Amino acid sequence: MTETQLPAVNREWHLVSRPVGWPKTEDFALVEAEVPQPGEGQVLVRNAYVSVDPYMRGRMSAAKSYVAPFELGKVMQGGAVGEVIASNAEGIEVGDHVLHFFGWREFAVVDAKQAVKVDPQAAPLSTYLGALGMTGLTAYAGLLRTASFKEGDSVFVSGAAGAVGSQVGQIAKLKGASRVIGSAGSDEKVKLLVEEYGFDAAFNYKNGPVGEQLRAAAPDGVDVYFDNVGGDHLEAAIGSLNRDGRIAVCGMISVYNSTEPVPGPKNLARLIQTRGRIEGFLVGDHYDLQAQFVQEVGAWVRSGELKYSETVVEGIENNLEAFFGVLRGDNVGKMIVKL
């Protein structure tokens, strides 16, 4: 095994009780543990950046879902990228940088087959958690495959200033959308969507009924709706959907912390008139697009045609507050914790 000098202590976040409604600080604990040693076929990674994402709220519940819940009293998981400081695996050497799924901690032992080598010279390390990572692939697959986007479509994106939404809108423009509309939660974010990301129109959903604002921004209706929010945004999109319109459901952050069942849109019958389609998707079903995605979107990132934003929080001790910030909508673009 090859290694650099190993540290003595590893700090890691544990889930200690399952949140009811909005998560609270006391549902979590920052724990000191020994730095683990890599076994056969494993590497030890010093995490440089870790990701916090809305879907993690679902894993804090014990309810059956598409992925196993976080275990109580155990370290949580999430995307991370870092440097290999000890290797017991062929093909990965000390000094290599890898992407893996063992965040919420400073050091992680990772099976070599679960680590993806990344090149910090080709793009900043943090982008492998955002624009060139899972959130980027989510935008790419959801728009192009699930929503069957085609040139000339009019596209509406909710949560458009977030890591996924901002990329959806830009990919749509680069692929020839006739009009791209976004919603966000502040006037500053609305300005960013139009002036920085090239959206044709955007609105602050806090400034009035979403349905009215969408009709004003898209008087000719929308062909594609990329849903990150659910609730009144989904109902508004159905109300503005054109014939043969498609809705890709990526997330519903507006209901993640609800303690009672949330009623669905009141206007679902309109899908009969429009022959509309609603389809949910998970990025994990679309990793066959990874190579195509990295090639196409990587070129746009390098050329500056696709812009991205990151909200960076410093220190593992602030990991939890960064996660709360995602649920509140504090972030512009991808929320990342730098260790």
Side-chain angles (χ1 to χ4, degrees):
M1 182 174 74
T2 57
E3 61 181 57
T4 60
Q5 185 171 357
L6 301 184
V9 175
N10 186 23
R11 290 183 295 171
E12 53 189 39
W13 280 98
H14 290 200
L15 183 68
V16 296
S17 61
R18 300 208 180 276
V20 177
W22 278 86
K24 303 180 294 295
T25 302
E26 51 266 33
D27 294 324
F28 308 85
L30 182 60
V31 175
E32 288 192 353
E34 289 185 7
V35 175
Q37 300 298 311
E40 189 67 31
Q42 294 182 322
V43 297
L44 176 64
V45 182
R46 186 196 309 271
N47 288 333
Y49 296 94
V50 301
S51 178
V52 290
D53 302 280
Y55 80 87
M56 293 174 175
R57 176 61 184 88
R59 295 197 67 187
M60 294 170 189
S61 166
K64 186 177 180 181
S65 185
Y66 60 87
V67 64
F70 292 134
E71 294 184 56
L72 291 179
K74 300 284 185 67
V75 61
M76 293 183 289
Q77 297 174 329
V81 64
E83 181 181 358
V84 174
I85 60 171
S87 176
N88 211 358
E90 290 185 17
I92 301 181
E93 300 177 358
V94 169
D96 285 343
H97 290 82
V98 297
L99 174 68
H100 60 89
F101 206 66
F102 296 93
W104 289 83
R105 68 200 83 186
E106 292 177 301
F107 301 90
V109 163
V110 183
D111 288 343
K113 61 179 180 291
Q114 294 180 307
V116 177
K117 284 206 285 188
V118 297
D119 183 1
Q121 303 303 316
L125 272 181
S126 58
T127 63
Y128 293 104
L129 296 176
L132 295 179
M134 185 177 70
T135 51
L137 181 59
T138 300
Y140 189 85
L143 177 68
L144 301 183
R145 178 175 280 173
T146 306
S148 304
F149 171 85
K150 60 184 185 298
E151 187 177 355
D153 279 342
S154 173
V155 178
F156 171 44
V157 187
S158 59
V164 174
S166 59
Q167 207 149 334
V168 171
Q170 291 183 83
I171 292 172
K173 290 294 289 185
L174 288 163
K175 289 282 191 179
S178 61
R179 188 167 177 80
V180 174
I181 305 101
S183 72
S186 73
D187 293 341
E188 292 77 15
K189 289 180 179 179
V190 167
K191 184 178 180 181
L192 177 75
L193 291 176
V194 176
E195 296 184 0
E196 181 73 12
Y197 295 147
F199 281 59
D200 296 290
F203 60 86
N204 181 347
Y205 66 83
K206 297 175 182 176
N207 287 348
V210 176
E212 292 179 11
Q213 294 197 77
L214 178 58
R215 283 192 294 274
D220 296 323
V222 297
D223 302 300
V224 168
Y225 170 49
F226 193 104
D227 190 14
N228 290 305
V229 173
D232 55 357
H233 281 74
L234 179 55
E235 189 167 293
I238 293 171
S240 286
L241 204 63
N242 289 333
R243 167 73 186 265
D244 298 317
R246 290 88 64 203
I247 296 175
V249 181
C250 175
M252 292 192 173
I253 196 170
S254 69
V255 303
Y256 286 169
N257 295 304
S258 299
T259 56
E260 299 294 333
V262 177
K266 298 190 293 289
N267 57 350
L268 279 174
R270 194 168 185 278
L271 295 174
I272 303 169
Q273 305 162 27
T274 61
R275 292 73 152 177
R277 168 169 63 85
I278 299 181
E279 183 177 345
F281 75 99
L282 295 172
V283 67
D285 297 331
H286 301 282
Y287 280 117
D288 60 300
L289 293 176
Q290 178 79 24
Q292 174 185 322
F293 156 72
V294 170
Q295 181 179 9
E296 187 166 24
V297 176
W300 287 333
V301 169
R302 286 190 294 275
S303 69
E305 292 173 275
L306 190 145
K307 299 176 174 60
Y308 64 91
S309 296
E310 295 174 341
T311 300
V312 180
V313 172
E314 299 264 354
I316 188 71
E317 64 277 8
N318 294 314
N319 220 85
L320 184 59
E321 184 54 36
F323 172 67
F324 289 164
V326 168
L327 296 182
R328 291 191 300 260
D330 294 351
N331 55 303
V332 174
K334 184 76 184 76
M335 178 72 88
I336 293 173
V337 180
K338 181 180 181 182
L339 306 190

